Amino acid sequence: MPLSVKHLLGIKDLTLQDIELIFQTADNFKEVLKRPIKKVPTLRDTTIVNLFFENSTRTRISFELAEKRLSADVINFTASASSVKKGETLIDTVNNILAMKVDLVIMRHSACGAPHFLSKHIQAAIVNAGDGINEHPTQALLDSFSIREKLGDVKGKKVAIVGDITHSRVAMSNIYCLKKQGAEVTVVGPPTLIPKYMAEAMGVNVTYNLREALEWCDVANVLRIQLERQNMPLFSSLREYNLFYGISRELLDGLHKEIIIMHPGPINRGVELNSDVADSKQSIILQQVENGVAIRMAVLYLIAGKKAEN
Amino acid sequence: MRILLKKAHIIAPGQALNGLIRDLLIEDGVIRQIAGEINIVGDRTISRENLHISPGWIDVFAHFCDPGYEYKEDLESGAKAAAAGGFTEVMIIPNTHPPLESKAQIEYIIRKSQHLPVNIRPMGAISKDLEGKALAEMYEMHRSGAVAFSDGTNPVQSSGLFLKALQYVKAFDGIIIQIPDDSGISQHGLMHEGLWSTRLGMPGKPAIAEEMLLERDLKLLKYTESKLHFTGVSLKKSVDLIRAAKAEGLQVTCSVTPYHLLLSDENLQQYDSVFKVNPPLREGDDIMALRNAVKEGVIDCIATHHFPQDVDGKQKEFEYAGEGMIGLESCFGVLGKALENLTVEQKVSLLAVNARKIFGIPIPEIKEGSAADITLFDPEISWIFEENGIHSKSKNSPFKGSKLKGKPLGIINKNRFYTDSSF
């Protein structure tokens, strides 16, 4: 059964069957990654461009590794969105690359909806690696995949998403992904970092009290404070943020149960997470990173529409 | 030139011949004869079922981009678009480069548009360079023919300057036009803030950005006892505030765009930049409130907010795309869809009468001996708004390919007959 979509633009467009298919495929690739030879020839004749208009290290590396494990030919293109703003248009940039016979575009861009726009103007398939504050679908998939791995299922689980919800594409994609799988979601953060219509628009609980959210949840997905995406000061200081919205060992020990801690990285230690939490056994942050490669292999494989050859 | 109009339904609210069906003979730009039947051979004889005529329509807020952005539109192409949309008169905004902020700029527009079939009336800038910091030479621009004063797409943010502007124009009974938008609140937004902006992951422009500037401006208006026209009102709340201000006796009037009467924020689901406008497309409840306010008369007239953008200006990431849509040519057909329960006479009042009263422009008369300033139209016919029929240099309309109701058929003005239709 193929995916219901040609591009992976956002979790918003996926069905539950799509999500399950990606997870099942990722299970197989995760097994491949444990073999002594971690490479399969699946995408041997596929050329993929990683088009990053916004800085990224870990997402780009994760995609690149996934591409290489699948034997795809890989090119990397890094440009700042501002240089594109001044000069060449996005369509021209991409068509120039596609003219060299590229099959698949992985794109990160600072403008919301940029991959959706591009998908209407080019032939190749697109995987969204993050667009503005809108979506970051592969991150949400790997987060849910990690919850599923740790707790057996996502359905019925309670997930708190902590921090800067307004400027987080990770939050948006996670909410769509978790809700589609039947999880309950609470978002928690300072009121200035939570969109006004969050509860109504997305069907989530909203609270400004971290302890209350942590008492409620099975999993806390803690977001990075996105200082670079805020247009004006939205909280007083990192110090005060840490005091009221940072997760400390003491806070976790005071809860009535042991919850799982996740973070999409990179961590601001001492801001949203203290080190004694980030490095604790409750944290599955590094498993998330590991699963990221398997999830991205699954997405690339399914989007490229090839048959598994392993 | 002799033009004979056969069996025309005359829609001229407040005039003697309103509601009658008559033949009209127009000779050298003047209405020579109006009678039940005229049997003179004209150079052109216009005979068509359901032919309606009214005083020529006026648009109160359009951008002709000239000088400075002639690749999007210029006075000639703008006039063609206006004529095709049934407009004989257009008020244009000063957001050109350089801006229309001095006598020289106003005179340039008036001189350059003299030979065009459409009367083009420039608005003068309120502030120098449209920066909202110091008053432009409004008195002299008024003398040179500026019809009203506005900073157009840069609404004045400074309360102090806006107060001074309202006071200053009282010297010559001038009128200020403002889009109510507090940019301090809305500047980072890309669409209306609400359920859809949240779901789409787009930064929102909160409704209070419009409400707050509108409330502030009304307070300043009350203090100064001047005249103010809001254009592009897009919220139920705005309409409520204006209704209350009118009841209180303030000299406030307002206009709405055709697209705010038909489209909502739901239309942005595909991140299509053709829907990127300011004020942004609002919610379903707002649309209904605006329609009711038109019917009720709280909204006085229609402003197309014809803002041309070339292909490259729109064909880019939503965030970087230019704002606005063209609106002159689709205006009447969009109103036909949005305002189905309005009579033809009410529509003509919105398009031809009320705005002229507000801005002190004579209303063209349909009577023997008057200069012919007439719009020909069919209020009932359904038609497809095709891209290749667009006269504007820019094609940024979401209505391309849509079925519209009611069609302008041509204009007669300044002894010129302009039409695309075959009769």
Side-chain angles (χ1 to χ4, degrees):
Chain A
M1 187 186 63
L3 288 176
S4 68
V5 290
K6 181 186 167 194
H7 311 280
L8 179 61
L9 301 178
I11 304 290
K12 193 168 30 225
D13 314 318
L14 297 184
T15 62
L16 178 60
Q17 288 71 32
D18 289 332
I19 294 170
E20 283 169 351
L21 174 62
I22 292 167
F23 288 172
Q24 285 154 16
T25 312
D27 284 335
N28 293 333
F29 284 126
K30 192 154 181 190
E31 185 268 318
V32 167
L33 291 174
K34 287 184 178 139
R35 292 179 196 168
I37 296 170
K38 300 177 180 61
K39 198 161 169 139
V40 287
T42 317
L43 297 186
R44 205 169 35 199
D45 54 349
T46 303
T47 306
I48 302 177
V49 59
N50 297 316
L51 199 56
F52 279 68
F53 293 98
E54 214 183 45
N55 290 336
S56 164
T57 308
R58 56 190 56 222
T59 304
R60 196 176 55 74
I61 288 175
S62 182
F63 266 110
E64 192 171 341
L65 208 52
E67 290 151 6
K68 287 181 170 163
R69 297 278 192 242
L70 291 168
S71 305
D73 293 322
V74 180
I75 41 175
N76 288 307
F77 177 100
T78 313
S80 73
S82 64
S83 73
V84 171
K85 220 195 241 176
K86 288 174 204 151
E88 195 176 37
T89 68
L90 179 59
I91 296 177
D92 283 346
T93 305
V94 175
N95 275 332
N96 270 287
I97 292 165
L98 294 181
M100 296 181 268
K101 310 293 176 218
V102 171
D103 307 291
L104 193 56
V105 176
I106 315 299
M107 186 169 82
R108 168 167 290 189
H109 199 292
S110 61
C112 308
H116 307 71
F117 159 72
L118 195 61
S119 70
K120 295 191 180 65
H121 296 279
I122 67 167
Q123 292 299 316
I126 300 168
V127 174
N128 180 4
D131 64 320
I133 58 171
N134 179 32
E135 283 221 45
H136 188 354
T138 55
Q139 180 69 44
L141 289 166
L142 75 89
D143 287 348
S144 280
F145 187 76
S146 302
I147 294 172
R148 168 182 175 266
E149 187 178 71
K150 185 77 181 175
L151 299 178
D153 201 354
V154 176
K155 191 174 180 182
K157 296 295 178 294
K158 294 174 173 170
V159 180
I161 302 177
V162 184
D164 181 354
I165 311 298
T166 301
H167 299 93
S168 175
R169 51 197 174 208
V170 176
M172 289 296 289
S173 282
N174 257 289
I175 293 168
Y176 280 119
C177 198
L178 292 165
K179 297 283 293 180
K180 283 184 192 216
Q181 295 172 87
E184 279 187 75
V185 180
T186 292
V187 297
V188 54
T192 47
L193 295 180
I194 297 178
K196 182 171 163 63
Y197 296 98
M198 201 67 203
E200 212 182 338
M202 303 298 289
V204 298
N205 311 307
V206 174
T207 174
Y208 309 131
N209 185 314
L210 179 63
R211 177 179 289 274
E212 184 189 309
L214 296 185
E215 281 289 4
W216 170 85
C217 73
D218 302 309
V219 177
N221 197 346
V222 186
L223 303 174
R224 176 182 160 74
I225 284 295
Q226 301 278 358
L227 287 173
E228 68 275 17
R229 243 170 262 147
Q230 298 179 5
N231 290 314
M232 58 178 87
L234 295 170
F235 55 86
S236 54
S237 64
L238 293 175
R239 182 186 151 274
E240 189 170 81
Y241 184 86
N242 179 252
L243 282 176
F244 294 96
Y245 294 99
I247 298 183
S248 64
R249 186 73 251 160
E250 192 188 353
L251 180 57
L252 284 191
D253 289 344
L255 302 177
H256 72 281
K257 65 178 170 183
E258 193 164 282
I259 62 168
I260 292 164
I261 299 292
M262 301 173 73
H263 192 293
I267 306 168
N268 295 308
R269 286 178 183 257
V271 182
E272 65 265 7
L273 278 186
N274 290 359
S275 288
D276 51 10
V277 173
D279 303 330
S280 73
K281 65 178 176 41
Q282 282 169 262
S283 151
I284 59 166
I285 295 170
L286 292 176
Q287 285 94 310
Q288 288 174 265
V289 177
E290 184 189 339
N291 287 336
V293 178
I295 280 288
R296 291 184 172 110
M297 287 172 79
V299 166
L300 294 170
Y301 163 74
L302 291 166
I303 292 285
K306 306 269 173 156
K307 281 189 177 162
E309 291 172 15
N310 53 339
Chain B
M1 187 172 66
R2 266 182 173 180
I3 304 163
L4 182 61
L5 305 179
K6 298 292 286 179
K7 293 196 169 38
H9 298 248
I10 300 172
I11 311 293
Q15 298 183 24
L17 299 177
N18 184 31
L20 302 178
I21 299 177
R22 289 287 184 272
D23 286 3
L24 285 86
L25 179 69
I26 295 157
E27 199 171 31
D28 299 331
V30 175
I31 303 173
R32 285 288 173 224
Q33 194 187 348
I34 301 177
E37 187 157 8
I38 302 173
N39 288 314
I40 297 173
V41 180
D43 298 315
R44 291 287 303 260
T45 300
I46 309 300
S47 176
R48 180 187 165 115
E49 204 180 327
N50 210 28
L51 172 67
H52 283 60
I53 64 166
S54 74
W57 302 341
I58 176 171
D59 178 27
V60 301
F61 208 79
H63 195 356
F64 281 180
C65 311
D66 182 354
Y69 310 103
E70 292 89 346
Y71 59 95
K72 298 180 185 180
E73 197 83 285
D74 58 27
L75 295 173
E76 296 235 353
S77 65
K80 273 186 198 160
F87 293 93
T88 61
E89 191 143 28
V90 178
M91 291 166 52
I92 58 171
I93 61 173
N95 303 75
T96 49
H97 185 73
L100 309 182
E101 59 173 358
S102 70
K103 177 174 81 168
Q105 298 299 335
I106 298 295
E107 285 177 350
Y108 161 81
I109 299 291
I110 290 173
R111 193 177 60 249
K112 209 175 161 209
S113 59
Q114 262 165 1
H115 70 286
L116 298 172
V118 172
N119 311 333
I120 295 180
R121 292 185 180 264
M123 281 171 226
I126 292 171
S127 69
K128 286 177 186 151
D129 279 333
L130 306 168
E131 282 180 338
K133 290 180 183 157
L135 293 181
E137 293 172 341
M138 290 192 276
Y139 209 147
E140 198 179 25
M141 285 193 276
H142 165 73
R143 280 281 170 78
S144 305
V147 64
F149 295 89
S150 176
D151 275 357
T153 51
N154 300 7
V156 177
Q157 300 297 312
S158 157
S159 310
L161 187 85
F162 200 65
L163 185 149
K164 294 285 176 261
L166 284 165
Q167 282 179 326
Y168 198 75
V169 298
K170 287 173 74 178
F172 46 87
D173 201 23
I175 182 163
I176 298 279
I177 303 180
Q178 174 101 311
I179 293 177
D181 178 27
D182 185 327
S183 64
I185 294 173
S186 69
Q187 63 185 332
H188 299 296
L190 296 174
M191 63 180 288
H192 170 66
E193 182 191 71
L195 300 185
W196 282 108
S197 68
T198 311
R199 289 178 189 139
L200 292 168
M202 294 242 265
K205 292 174 188 255
I208 53 160
E210 179 168 327
E211 291 169 30
M212 282 183 61
L213 203 77
L214 204 132
E215 280 193 285
R216 179 202 78 173
D217 287 358
L218 286 172
K219 284 194 170 136
L220 296 172
L221 178 67
K222 188 174 178 182
Y223 174 80
T224 55
E225 300 176 341
S226 186
K227 286 186 187 169
L228 177 59
H229 180 84
F230 289 111
T231 190
V233 294
S234 65
L235 293 166
K236 179 180 183 300
K237 186 71 196 284
S238 301
V239 170
D240 292 342
L241 289 165
I242 292 169
R243 184 189 294 108
K246 284 185 166 186
E248 209 184 319
L250 300 191
Q251 298 188 81
V252 59
T253 51
C254 67
S255 51
V256 67
T257 74
Y259 57 78
H260 281 117
L261 293 169
L262 197 65
L263 305 174
S264 73
D265 57 349
E266 273 191 69
N267 289 95
L268 286 132
Q269 287 179 56
Q270 300 302 316
Y271 302 91
D272 188 343
S273 64
V274 78
F275 296 104
K276 185 176 179 182
V277 291
N278 192 48
L281 300 178
R282 305 290 188 180
E283 299 173 15
D285 288 351
D286 296 308
I287 294 181
M288 296 320 292
L290 293 172
R291 289 180 183 178
N292 289 333
V294 168
K295 197 162 185 213
E296 189 191 341
V298 173
I299 292 174
D300 302 274
C301 55
I302 301 297
T304 65
H305 285 221
H306 175 86
F307 293 166
Q309 296 284 357
D310 67 333
V311 174
D312 296 330
K314 278 289 188 185
Q315 193 167 294
K316 52 173 69 168
E317 300 88 319
F318 193 94
E319 188 173 334
Y320 306 144
E323 283 175 343
M325 52 178 82
I326 54 169
L328 285 163
E329 294 169 74
S330 56
C331 174
F332 189 62
V334 171
L335 294 182
K337 282 176 78 171
L339 302 173
E340 272 187 316
N341 53 5
L342 248 59
T343 63
V344 188
E345 197 177 320
Q346 285 171 315
K347 283 183 197 157
V348 168
S349 294
L350 284 172
L351 287 164
V353 180
N354 301 351
R356 286 193 173 92
K357 286 184 185 161
I358 293 167
F359 295 102
I361 301 167
I363 297 163
E365 290 186 276
I366 299 185
K367 66 172 201 292
E368 288 179 359
S370 288
D373 179 341
I374 290 173
T375 297
L376 289 68
F377 63 102
D378 179 339
E380 296 301 326
I381 196 168
S382 288
W383 56 297
I384 306 286
F385 185 63
E386 301 277 11
E387 172 157 359
N388 60 18
I390 294 176
H391 295 75
S392 172
K393 278 190 190 176
S394 297
K395 317 292 174 195
N396 53 313
S397 168
F399 300 112
K400 286 183 291 193
S402 296
K403 197 172 178 184
L404 304 180
K405 186 173 177 242
K407 191 172 194 242
L409 301 172
I411 60 164
I412 300 172
N413 188 33
K414 294 189 189 174
N415 194 19
R416 302 271 290 277
F417 178 38
Y418 186 95
T419 183
D420 266 354
S421 303
S422 50
F423 291 96

